[in-house]
PDB file of all heavy atoms in Angstrom:
ATOM      1  N   LEU A 177      21.777   2.455 -17.009  1.00  0.00           N
ATOM      2  CA  LEU A 177      21.824   3.186 -18.279  1.00  0.00           C
ATOM      3  C   LEU A 177      21.655   4.686 -18.039  1.00  0.00           C
ATOM      4  O   LEU A 177      22.370   5.508 -18.622  1.00  0.00           O
ATOM      5  CB  LEU A 177      20.737   2.667 -19.219  1.00  0.00           C
ATOM      6  CG  LEU A 177      20.691   3.282 -20.614  1.00  0.00           C
ATOM      7  CD1 LEU A 177      22.004   3.040 -21.349  1.00  0.00           C
ATOM      8  CD2 LEU A 177      19.532   2.704 -21.399  1.00  0.00           C
ATOM      9  N   LYS A 178      20.735   5.056 -17.144  1.00  0.00           N
ATOM     10  CA  LYS A 178      20.538   6.475 -16.818  1.00  0.00           C
ATOM     11  C   LYS A 178      21.803   7.067 -16.203  1.00  0.00           C
ATOM     12  O   LYS A 178      22.198   8.178 -16.540  1.00  0.00           O
ATOM     13  CB  LYS A 178      19.371   6.635 -15.839  1.00  0.00           C
ATOM     14  CG  LYS A 178      18.020   6.362 -16.444  1.00  0.00           C
ATOM     15  CD  LYS A 178      16.937   6.472 -15.361  1.00  0.00           C
ATOM     16  CE  LYS A 178      15.579   6.097 -15.891  1.00  0.00           C
ATOM     17  NZ  LYS A 178      14.551   6.119 -14.835  1.00  0.00           N
ATOM     18  N   ILE A 179      22.436   6.315 -15.316  1.00  0.00           N
ATOM     19  CA  ILE A 179      23.671   6.776 -14.669  1.00  0.00           C
ATOM     20  C   ILE A 179      24.759   6.994 -15.725  1.00  0.00           C
ATOM     21  O   ILE A 179      25.455   8.012 -15.721  1.00  0.00           O
ATOM     22  CB  ILE A 179      24.128   5.779 -13.588  1.00  0.00           C
ATOM     23  CG1 ILE A 179      23.161   5.834 -12.405  1.00  0.00           C
ATOM     24  CG2 ILE A 179      25.555   6.067 -13.139  1.00  0.00           C
ATOM     25  CD1 ILE A 179      23.364   4.735 -11.383  1.00  0.00           C
ATOM     26  N   LYS A 180      24.876   6.058 -16.635  1.00  0.00           N
ATOM     27  CA  LYS A 180      25.884   6.158 -17.697  1.00  0.00           C
ATOM     28  C   LYS A 180      25.642   7.402 -18.562  1.00  0.00           C
ATOM     29  O   LYS A 180      26.589   8.123 -18.912  1.00  0.00           O
ATOM     30  CB  LYS A 180      25.839   4.888 -18.549  1.00  0.00           C
ATOM     31  CG  LYS A 180      26.933   4.775 -19.570  1.00  0.00           C
ATOM     32  CD  LYS A 180      26.850   3.440 -20.288  1.00  0.00           C
ATOM     33  CE  LYS A 180      27.942   3.313 -21.324  1.00  0.00           C
ATOM     34  NZ  LYS A 180      27.897   2.020 -22.017  1.00  0.00           N
ATOM     35  N   ARG A 181      24.373   7.664 -18.895  1.00  0.00           N
ATOM     36  CA  ARG A 181      24.037   8.828 -19.726  1.00  0.00           C
ATOM     37  C   ARG A 181      24.376  10.139 -19.015  1.00  0.00           C
ATOM     38  O   ARG A 181      24.916  11.055 -19.629  1.00  0.00           O
ATOM     39  CB  ARG A 181      22.549   8.815 -20.087  1.00  0.00           C
ATOM     40  CG  ARG A 181      22.198   7.810 -21.148  1.00  0.00           C
ATOM     41  CD  ARG A 181      20.733   7.864 -21.484  1.00  0.00           C
ATOM     42  NE  ARG A 181      20.381   6.821 -22.419  1.00  0.00           N
ATOM     43  CZ  ARG A 181      19.160   6.345 -22.573  1.00  0.00           C
ATOM     44  NH1 ARG A 181      18.163   6.815 -21.841  1.00  0.00           N
ATOM     45  NH2 ARG A 181      18.921   5.395 -23.449  1.00  0.00           N
ATOM     46  N   ILE A 182      24.037  10.216 -17.737  1.00  0.00           N
ATOM     47  CA  ILE A 182      24.318  11.435 -16.972  1.00  0.00           C
ATOM     48  C   ILE A 182      25.834  11.664 -16.880  1.00  0.00           C
ATOM     49  O   ILE A 182      26.315  12.787 -17.047  1.00  0.00           O
ATOM     50  CB  ILE A 182      23.700  11.368 -15.559  1.00  0.00           C
ATOM     51  CG1 ILE A 182      22.178  11.305 -15.634  1.00  0.00           C
ATOM     52  CG2 ILE A 182      24.147  12.542 -14.702  1.00  0.00           C
ATOM     53  CD1 ILE A 182      21.510  12.547 -16.139  1.00  0.00           C
ATOM     54  N   LYS A 183      26.586  10.596 -16.618  1.00  0.00           N
ATOM     55  CA  LYS A 183      28.047  10.730 -16.542  1.00  0.00           C
ATOM     56  C   LYS A 183      28.621  11.219 -17.870  1.00  0.00           C
ATOM     57  O   LYS A 183      29.525  12.051 -17.903  1.00  0.00           O
ATOM     58  CB  LYS A 183      28.686   9.387 -16.164  1.00  0.00           C
ATOM     59  CG  LYS A 183      28.533   9.041 -14.702  1.00  0.00           C
ATOM     60  CD  LYS A 183      29.218   7.715 -14.392  1.00  0.00           C
ATOM     61  CE  LYS A 183      29.165   7.393 -12.916  1.00  0.00           C
ATOM     62  NZ  LYS A 183      29.812   6.105 -12.606  1.00  0.00           N
ATOM     63  N   LYS A 184      28.077  10.708 -18.976  1.00  0.00           N
ATOM     64  CA  LYS A 184      28.549  11.125 -20.295  1.00  0.00           C
ATOM     65  C   LYS A 184      28.235  12.600 -20.538  1.00  0.00           C
ATOM     66  O   LYS A 184      29.076  13.347 -21.038  1.00  0.00           O
ATOM     67  CB  LYS A 184      27.913  10.255 -21.384  1.00  0.00           C
ATOM     68  CG  LYS A 184      28.495  10.457 -22.749  1.00  0.00           C
ATOM     69  CD  LYS A 184      27.958   9.454 -23.741  1.00  0.00           C
ATOM     70  CE  LYS A 184      28.639   9.664 -25.084  1.00  0.00           C
ATOM     71  NZ  LYS A 184      28.241   8.646 -26.042  1.00  0.00           N
ATOM     72  N   LYS A 185      27.023  13.027 -20.148  1.00  0.00           N
ATOM     73  CA  LYS A 185      26.659  14.437 -20.294  1.00  0.00           C
ATOM     74  C   LYS A 185      27.587  15.321 -19.463  1.00  0.00           C
ATOM     75  O   LYS A 185      28.032  16.374 -19.917  1.00  0.00           O
ATOM     76  CB  LYS A 185      25.208  14.666 -19.845  1.00  0.00           C
ATOM     77  CG  LYS A 185      24.169  14.252 -20.831  1.00  0.00           C
ATOM     78  CD  LYS A 185      22.772  14.591 -20.296  1.00  0.00           C
ATOM     79  CE  LYS A 185      21.682  14.078 -21.188  1.00  0.00           C
ATOM     80  NZ  LYS A 185      20.339  14.376 -20.617  1.00  0.00           N
ATOM     81  N   LEU A 186      27.869  14.876 -18.239  1.00  0.00           N
ATOM     82  CA  LEU A 186      28.772  15.641 -17.369  1.00  0.00           C
ATOM     83  C   LEU A 186      30.159  15.761 -17.990  1.00  0.00           C
ATOM     84  O   LEU A 186      30.762  16.840 -17.972  1.00  0.00           O
ATOM     85  CB  LEU A 186      28.877  14.966 -15.999  1.00  0.00           C
ATOM     86  CG  LEU A 186      27.985  15.497 -14.902  1.00  0.00           C
ATOM     87  CD1 LEU A 186      28.064  14.615 -13.665  1.00  0.00           C
ATOM     88  CD2 LEU A 186      28.298  16.931 -14.565  1.00  0.00           C
ATOM     89  N   ASP A 187      30.665  14.658 -18.508  1.00  0.00           N
ATOM     90  CA  ASP A 187      31.978  14.681 -19.156  1.00  0.00           C
ATOM     91  C   ASP A 187      31.988  15.657 -20.338  1.00  0.00           C
ATOM     92  O   ASP A 187      32.938  16.407 -20.517  1.00  0.00           O
ATOM     93  CB  ASP A 187      32.388  13.287 -19.638  1.00  0.00           C
ATOM     94  CG  ASP A 187      32.791  12.364 -18.498  1.00  0.00           C
ATOM     95  OD1 ASP A 187      33.058  12.887 -17.386  1.00  0.00           O
ATOM     96  OD2 ASP A 187      32.831  11.140 -18.713  1.00  0.00           O
ATOM     97  N   ASN A 188      30.912  15.633 -21.133  1.00  0.00           N
ATOM     98  CA  ASN A 188      30.824  16.530 -22.293  1.00  0.00           C
ATOM     99  C   ASN A 188      30.795  17.988 -21.859  1.00  0.00           C
ATOM    100  O   ASN A 188      31.476  18.829 -22.455  1.00  0.00           O
ATOM    101  CB  ASN A 188      29.585  16.214 -23.140  1.00  0.00           C
ATOM    102  CG  ASN A 188      29.720  14.923 -23.910  1.00  0.00           C
ATOM    103  OD1 ASN A 188      30.830  14.435 -24.131  1.00  0.00           O
ATOM    104  ND2 ASN A 188      28.604  14.350 -24.307  1.00  0.00           N
ATOM    105  N   GLN A 202      23.218  20.850 -11.765  1.00  0.00           N
ATOM    106  CA  GLN A 202      21.955  20.119 -11.917  1.00  0.00           C
ATOM    107  C   GLN A 202      22.215  18.653 -12.278  1.00  0.00           C
ATOM    108  O   GLN A 202      21.598  17.751 -11.711  1.00  0.00           O
ATOM    109  CB  GLN A 202      21.099  20.791 -12.984  1.00  0.00           C
ATOM    110  CG  GLN A 202      19.729  20.160 -13.152  1.00  0.00           C
ATOM    111  CD  GLN A 202      18.911  20.855 -14.235  1.00  0.00           C
ATOM    112  OE1 GLN A 202      19.377  21.771 -14.910  1.00  0.00           O
ATOM    113  NE2 GLN A 202      17.684  20.409 -14.396  1.00  0.00           N
ATOM    114  N   LEU A 203      23.131  18.407 -13.201  1.00  0.00           N
ATOM    115  CA  LEU A 203      23.468  17.034 -13.595  1.00  0.00           C
ATOM    116  C   LEU A 203      24.119  16.265 -12.445  1.00  0.00           C
ATOM    117  O   LEU A 203      23.843  15.076 -12.251  1.00  0.00           O
ATOM    118  CB  LEU A 203      24.382  17.032 -14.819  1.00  0.00           C
ATOM    119  CG  LEU A 203      23.714  17.368 -16.149  1.00  0.00           C
ATOM    120  CD1 LEU A 203      24.754  17.542 -17.241  1.00  0.00           C
ATOM    121  CD2 LEU A 203      22.693  16.320 -16.535  1.00  0.00           C
ATOM    122  N   GLU A 204      24.975  16.947 -11.673  1.00  0.00           N
ATOM    123  CA  GLU A 204      25.607  16.288 -10.530  1.00  0.00           C
ATOM    124  C   GLU A 204      24.573  15.901  -9.472  1.00  0.00           C
ATOM    125  O   GLU A 204      24.662  14.829  -8.877  1.00  0.00           O
ATOM    126  CB  GLU A 204      26.689  17.189  -9.928  1.00  0.00           C
ATOM    127  CG  GLU A 204      27.938  17.236 -10.776  1.00  0.00           C
ATOM    128  CD  GLU A 204      28.979  18.212 -10.258  1.00  0.00           C
ATOM    129  OE1 GLU A 204      28.655  19.039  -9.370  1.00  0.00           O
ATOM    130  OE2 GLU A 204      30.121  18.147 -10.745  1.00  0.00           O
ATOM    131  N   GLU A 206      21.407  15.239 -10.093  1.00  0.00           N
ATOM    132  CA  GLU A 206      20.657  14.134 -10.675  1.00  0.00           C
ATOM    133  C   GLU A 206      21.452  12.829 -10.573  1.00  0.00           C
ATOM    134  O   GLU A 206      20.906  11.783 -10.240  1.00  0.00           O
ATOM    135  CB  GLU A 206      20.338  14.451 -12.138  1.00  0.00           C
ATOM    136  CG  GLU A 206      19.338  13.511 -12.768  1.00  0.00           C
ATOM    137  CD  GLU A 206      18.955  13.926 -14.184  1.00  0.00           C
ATOM    138  OE1 GLU A 206      19.122  15.114 -14.545  1.00  0.00           O
ATOM    139  OE2 GLU A 206      18.504  13.053 -14.933  1.00  0.00           O
ATOM    140  N   LEU A 207      22.763  12.921 -10.822  1.00  0.00           N
ATOM    141  CA  LEU A 207      23.629  11.749 -10.715  1.00  0.00           C
ATOM    142  C   LEU A 207      23.663  11.233  -9.274  1.00  0.00           C
ATOM    143  O   LEU A 207      23.576  10.031  -9.040  1.00  0.00           O
ATOM    144  CB  LEU A 207      25.044  12.084 -11.203  1.00  0.00           C
ATOM    145  CG  LEU A 207      26.062  10.947 -11.136  1.00  0.00           C
ATOM    146  CD1 LEU A 207      25.632   9.767 -12.006  1.00  0.00           C
ATOM    147  CD2 LEU A 207      27.434  11.453 -11.569  1.00  0.00           C
ATOM    148  N   ASP A 208      23.782  12.150  -8.319  1.00  0.00           N
ATOM    149  CA  ASP A 208      23.769  11.747  -6.901  1.00  0.00           C
ATOM    150  C   ASP A 208      22.480  11.018  -6.542  1.00  0.00           C
ATOM    151  O   ASP A 208      22.502  10.002  -5.846  1.00  0.00           O
ATOM    152  CB  ASP A 208      23.937  12.968  -5.986  1.00  0.00           C
ATOM    153  CG  ASP A 208      25.355  13.489  -5.956  1.00  0.00           C
ATOM    154  OD1 ASP A 208      26.268  12.757  -6.403  1.00  0.00           O
ATOM    155  OD2 ASP A 208      25.553  14.627  -5.485  1.00  0.00           O
ATOM    156  N   LEU A 210      20.468   9.352  -8.582  1.00  0.00           N
ATOM    157  CA  LEU A 210      20.462   8.031  -9.230  1.00  0.00           C
ATOM    158  C   LEU A 210      21.403   7.055  -8.529  1.00  0.00           C
ATOM    159  O   LEU A 210      21.065   5.884  -8.340  1.00  0.00           O
ATOM    160  CB  LEU A 210      20.843   8.170 -10.707  1.00  0.00           C
ATOM    161  CG  LEU A 210      19.831   8.878 -11.603  1.00  0.00           C
ATOM    162  CD1 LEU A 210      20.415   9.109 -12.985  1.00  0.00           C
ATOM    163  CD2 LEU A 210      18.533   8.108 -11.686  1.00  0.00           C
TER     164      LEU A 210
END
Side-chain angles (χ1 to χ4, degrees):
L177 183 60
K178 289 177 185 176
I179 290 170
K180 187 176 180 179
R181 285 181 185 158
I182 296 292
K183 284 181 176 179
K184 189 173 183 175
K185 282 183 186 178
L186 264 172
D187 287 343
N188 288 340
Q202 184 180 3
L203 286 171
E204 285 175 347
E206 191 175 339
L207 180 61
D208 285 345
L210 291 172

